[in-house]
Amino acid sequence: MNYHQYYPIDVVNGPGTRCTLFVAGCVHQCPGCYNKSTWRLNSGLPFTPQMEDRIIADLNDSRVPRQGLSLSGGDPLHPANVAAVLQLVKRVRAECPNKDIWLWTGYRLDELDSEQRQIVDRINVLIDGKFVQALKDPALIWRGSSNQVVHKLR
């Protein structure tokens, strides 16, 4: 998996202070997407064990308490990203049990395969659905268009 950006301190992509990872790769390529630079799988930087360790350390850093981890992109549930995202989510659950995990995807919940569901079964909030330019609404919280759904899973 590759990633484009990692914010160790973020107050925009989910509630509270968070760590946010923007991964590379998106099959949806929605017209009007605000993050087109993340569409190509081979763009960005390799997601290494060192970067995974850094995320865990940042989530556990008591000097700047974080509420949790946000995963966006690109698309964290792109088939090429599933293995690395699942490993990261499992690790966050094991080593940062009090942190929540939010994930944005262009897939709808009812479209997910069994591997993608393994990730969703371990997160707190899923924002699903493609961005639809005609349904864009800047007043919405945590989503860009009204067809997208915020699923509070746990």
Side-chain angles (χ1 to χ4, degrees):
M1 178 173 83
N2 282 6
Y3 74 99
H4 270 256
Q5 192 69 28
Y6 170 62
Y7 295 104
I9 300 173
D10 182 18
V11 295
V12 176
N13 296 289
T17 303
R18 315 183 63 74
C19 297
T20 299
L21 181 70
F22 288 90
V23 302
C26 185
V27 297
H28 309 292
Q29 302 187 357
C30 305
C33 174
Y34 77 97
N35 219 354
K36 289 181 182 181
S37 65
T38 64
W39 288 358
R40 286 186 2 263
L41 273 173
N42 63 351
S43 61
L45 302 167
F47 186 74
T48 63
Q50 293 79 17
M51 178 53 71
E52 186 176 298
D53 290 345
R54 179 176 174 197
I55 291 170
I56 298 300
D58 289 342
L59 285 169
N60 285 321
D61 183 352
S62 61
R63 295 171 300 165
V64 181
R66 275 75 159 199
Q67 181 172 327
L69 174 65
S70 292
L71 299 167
S72 191
D75 195 328
L77 296 184
H78 185 292
N81 294 335
V82 167
V85 170
L86 180 58
Q87 178 177 312
L88 175 60
V89 167
K90 283 180 175 179
R91 214 171 145 201
V92 171
R93 280 281 158 251
E95 297 179 40
C96 315
N98 298 322
K99 306 301 180 182
D100 64 22
I101 303 171
W102 285 48
L103 188 147
W104 281 257
T105 183
Y107 297 99
R108 288 190 334 265
L109 186 56
D110 64 356
E111 297 174 324
L112 301 179
D113 66 26
S114 61
E115 290 181 323
Q116 293 165 322
R117 290 291 302 192
Q118 288 183 52
I119 295 168
V120 172
D121 289 346
R122 290 171 169 85
I123 66 172
N124 299 83
V125 176
L126 176 74
I127 297 88
D128 76 346
K130 296 176 185 177
F131 172 75
V132 177
Q133 182 76 33
L135 300 176
K136 179 180 178 180
D137 183 350
L140 295 171
I141 295 181
W142 314 130
R143 56 200 175 117
S145 58
S146 60
N147 63 297
Q148 295 171 311
V149 178
V150 178
H151 299 275
K152 295 179 180 174
L153 305 170
R154 54 170 73 210

